[in-house]
Amino acid sequence: TYAANWGCYKEFESWHKLDFIGIDAYFPLSASVTPSVNELFTGWQPHFEDIKQFEILKKKPILFTEYGYRSIDKCAEQPWLSYNAAAVNVEAQQNAYEALYKRFLPESWFAGGFLWKWHVNDSKAGGNNNTNYTPQNKPVEAVIKKWYGQSL
């Protein structure tokens, strides 16, 4: 596969040579401080429809080559921004993961994805006061475990 950015995956001309359509899935979904799962699910709708139609056109499964949300206020407004200052918000991160999984995992054409970012030193990574992408040692781990049905 190839990892195309969320805003330009349709422009890559060589999908026919690959097994998967790879998308770095940092789509803007909501400007709310702590968007609900339903709000985020609705925010996914136009992107979901575009991705689904692209999969039908190209006849290739979709793989999110990278996805994730920081544990901050407005985490789904511009999820690609990795260094903006914002208050810790673990609930927003949880809701963003829940909405993504709820929207995409049931789809047969969705091949899954690679979450960003998992650190090697698990016991020291993340935590409830950490504003980075990692889900480690944060409440969002429970969401991931629920959807994947196993411990991390």
Side-chain angles (χ1 to χ4, degrees):
T1 191
Y2 168 76
N5 197 22
W6 66 271
C8 60
Y9 67 92
K10 293 178 185 177
E11 297 167 21
F12 183 66
E13 296 179 0
S14 296
W15 291 125
H16 66 282
K17 297 178 182 179
L18 303 173
D19 296 321
F20 297 92
I21 294 169
I23 302 173
D24 286 353
Y26 295 102
F27 295 88
L29 305 175
S30 168
S32 296
V33 172
T34 308
S36 69
V37 173
N38 286 337
E39 180 181 347
L40 291 161
F41 190 86
T42 300
W44 267 114
Q45 196 55 35
H47 307 298
F48 174 83
E49 290 301 327
D50 283 348
I51 293 167
K52 181 178 177 181
Q53 291 307 311
F54 197 68
E55 182 276 332
I56 291 168
L57 176 69
K58 298 297 182 182
K59 298 180 175 77
K60 303 278 182 178
I62 303 297
L63 176 69
F64 284 172
T65 43
E66 193 174 301
Y67 71 92
Y69 301 93
R70 292 176 59 204
S71 48
I72 60 171
D73 287 348
K74 298 186 175 190
C75 72
E77 182 177 32
Q78 296 177 306
W80 60 88
L81 292 179
S82 58
Y83 296 106
N84 57 327
V88 173
N89 190 331
V90 295
E91 182 182 355
Q93 184 184 44
Q94 285 179 275
N95 292 351
Y97 273 82
E98 180 73 28
L100 184 148
Y101 294 148
K102 184 178 177 181
R103 177 69 275 182
F104 286 94
L105 287 182
E107 300 300 323
S108 62
W109 48 265
F110 183 67
F114 301 98
L115 63 85
W116 182 258
K117 175 175 189 177
W118 199 268
H119 298 277
V120 176
N121 193 343
D122 184 60
S123 65
K124 294 183 180 181
N128 285 339
N129 294 319
N130 179 278
T131 61
N132 291 326
Y133 288 93
T134 185
Q136 288 168 281
N137 302 306
K138 297 179 184 178
V140 72
E141 274 194 48
V143 174
I144 297 165
K145 288 176 184 178
K146 176 183 88 170
W147 282 95
Y148 283 98
Q150 57 188 342
S151 61
L152 297 173

